[in-house]
Amino acid sequence: MDGSFVPRNNIEEAILLLMILLRKVTLNRIEWDPSILVSGDLMILANQLEELLPGTIHRKERFYALALCYYGAGKNVEALDLLRKLLSNREDPRHVPSLLMASKICCENFSVTKDPGVSFARMALENLDGRCNQLENMANFLLGVTLSAYSKLAISDAERVKRQSEALHTLETACKLSRMEDPVVLYHLSLEYAEQRKLDAALHYAKCIVKLEVGSNVKGWLLLSRVLSAQKRFLDAESIINAALDQTGKWDQGDLLRTKAKLQIAQGQLKSAIETYTQLLAVLQVHSKSFGSRNKLFKDKRDQIRNLEVEVWHDLAYVYISLSQWRDAEACLSKSRAIKLYSSTRCYAIG
């Protein structure tokens, strides 16, 4: 058409062709084809789904696809609202993928949703009724994780123990269904045992995780070292961290180095802890400079690094306080203030 946009390369031409096809779908000139919606930005994809005329795709499919887009874009509350609409009596209250997804969102955003998602996971299990082992495994896993979160709300000890016992049972069921081959299930099972102070069982499953993942995941190493630390086996825990540091790139060493410093403090090795914290701060400085010049896609990573750096300065301040090196402690707290103006931990340390 006159005055229209002219593509400068193959990618722009491909996008233009897809937009023309999408317009024809919207005008009901051609049939709906899901492959037309190709997008690298989930919110753009969500907008395209919302612009489709009613009847182009089924309402249930639209709600679920939109919920996935919002969830992938970090808009968890909006995604949960869409899933609740889908699971209403007017739509499909027995839609298993939506029940599982709603349970997962509730569990991950418990502080916001105020709902651990237990009811969604239970309904998913009831509707599956043994028809799919993989989905049943996922439903048991989510039920275990949500029950673990739910137990923390219990008013009485009896109710808390009951929920914790049920959480362990469902996580063990998920572990059996996955044949001990799902590291995520093993991680949460080990974590639940650790939280209930059943440390021998927690240690067993933590070792299984590291063996299964061949030491490729930092979370597995950290869990194993922390369980050993809970057993007062500080030397063993530190050796685990050192092994993890040898197998991990510098980009993933933040939590490992902080844990190592805490283990050194537990053993009374305060000077060694200071050296470890200094090494960690150097790594974080490299991270900050690397992500500082990038675009908004790295905002979450930058915020994570800044929060960790603040916590490290606080840890270091407490080490200096224990050594009665007041000026050094105050210098650490001023560094923390330069990064984050308000912090209850820093106020406590200053007091």
Side-chain angles (χ1 to χ4, degrees):
M1 303 299 175
D2 293 339
S4 62
F5 170 75
V6 178
R8 291 170 296 180
N9 53 50
N10 290 345
I11 293 175
E12 290 187 353
E13 185 173 1
I15 292 170
L16 183 60
L17 289 169
L18 289 168
M19 290 174 68
I20 291 169
L21 287 171
L22 189 62
R23 176 65 62 83
K24 289 188 176 184
V25 168
T26 305
L27 297 173
N28 289 325
R29 292 180 183 173
I30 61 174
E31 290 185 5
W32 162 250
D33 183 353
S35 64
I36 292 172
L37 291 175
V38 180
S39 175
D41 188 317
L42 289 169
M43 288 312 300
I44 292 174
L45 182 57
N47 291 336
Q48 290 179 336
L49 284 166
E50 288 172 345
E51 288 172 2
L52 293 176
L53 290 175
T56 306
I57 58 175
H58 196 278
R59 277 171 61 87
K60 180 168 66 176
E61 183 183 347
R62 182 196 291 241
F63 277 138
Y64 187 62
L66 278 172
L68 286 170
C69 289
Y70 279 112
Y71 176 69
K75 297 181 178 292
N76 300 315
V77 176
E78 291 85 347
L80 186 59
D81 288 341
L82 283 166
L83 291 170
R84 282 181 170 143
K85 286 182 181 179
L86 197 161
L87 293 167
S88 66
N89 290 328
R90 291 180 56 191
E91 299 296 335
D92 187 359
R94 299 168 62 87
H95 190 242
V96 172
S98 295
L99 287 167
L100 293 174
M101 187 178 172
S103 178
K104 179 175 167 60
I105 292 173
C106 285
C107 184
E108 291 175 350
N109 302 273
F110 182 45
S111 60
V112 177
T113 62
K114 306 301 181 185
D115 178 2
V118 175
S119 58
F120 291 122
R122 288 195 197 280
M123 288 173 64
L125 269 176
E126 289 172 8
N127 291 321
L128 278 167
D129 195 25
R131 286 178 288 131
C132 176
N133 284 340
Q134 287 181 322
L135 287 178
E136 191 173 350
N137 172 39
M138 178 57 68
N140 273 296
F141 164 67
L142 287 172
L143 180 58
V145 175
T146 54
L147 280 167
S148 177
Y150 192 38
S151 68
K152 295 174 176 62
L153 298 177
I155 297 173
S156 67
D157 287 342
E159 187 64 26
R160 176 177 52 80
V161 170
K162 180 184 175 183
R163 292 173 188 175
Q164 286 179 334
S165 177
E166 192 177 353
L168 271 181
H169 174 70
T170 51
L171 285 171
E172 285 171 347
T173 302
C175 198
K176 289 174 184 174
L177 287 170
S178 63
R179 299 177 182 178
M180 296 278 289
E181 293 177 353
D182 189 331
V184 178
V185 175
L186 286 169
Y187 179 86
H188 283 274
L189 181 57
S190 175
L191 190 63
E192 185 61 28
Y193 270 121
E195 287 184 353
Q196 296 187 31
R197 309 308 292 174
K198 299 175 181 177
L199 299 179
D200 289 338
L203 182 62
H204 167 71
Y205 288 110
K207 286 179 178 177
C208 290
I209 297 166
V210 174
K211 184 177 179 182
L212 183 64
E213 296 182 326
V214 201
S216 61
N217 192 340
V218 170
K219 287 179 69 177
W221 288 111
L222 284 170
L223 180 60
L224 179 55
S225 69
R226 286 167 181 169
V227 173
L228 288 167
S229 174
Q231 293 181 326
K232 308 295 182 185
R233 296 165 59 181
F234 300 122
L235 281 173
D236 291 337
E238 190 175 350
S239 67
I240 290 294
I241 293 295
N242 287 332
L245 288 168
D246 289 340
Q247 297 187 39
T248 308
K250 284 197 176 293
W251 291 102
D252 300 315
Q253 289 185 354
D255 288 327
L256 290 170
L257 287 168
R258 190 180 181 206
T259 302
K260 180 178 179 179
K262 286 181 176 291
L263 288 167
Q264 289 169 334
I265 292 170
Q267 297 172 78
Q269 302 170 3
L270 299 184
K271 291 186 178 179
S272 297
I274 291 171
E275 291 175 6
T276 304
Y277 277 129
T278 304
Q279 182 184 351
L280 172 53
L281 287 167
V283 171
L284 292 177
Q285 285 296 321
V286 174
H287 282 0
S288 298
K289 289 178 181 177
S290 176
F291 287 105
S293 59
R294 307 289 184 89
N295 59 26
K296 65 180 181 179
L297 291 175
F298 295 94
K299 182 180 181 300
D300 291 341
K301 188 67 176 177
R302 287 200 306 269
D303 292 343
Q304 183 182 345
I305 292 167
R306 283 165 62 88
N307 290 333
L308 179 56
E309 188 175 355
V310 168
E311 291 170 0
V312 170
W313 282 118
H314 293 162
D315 289 350
L316 198 51
Y318 278 113
V319 174
Y320 283 128
I321 287 170
S322 64
L323 291 170
S324 300
Q325 295 179 215
W326 313 114
R327 289 186 179 179
D328 291 330
E330 288 179 342
C332 291
L333 295 172
S334 66
K335 291 281 188 181
S336 158
R337 184 182 176 82
I339 301 169
K340 189 176 181 181
L341 188 59
Y342 300 106
S343 168
S344 57
T345 307
R346 183 174 59 248
C347 290
Y348 183 81
I350 291 170

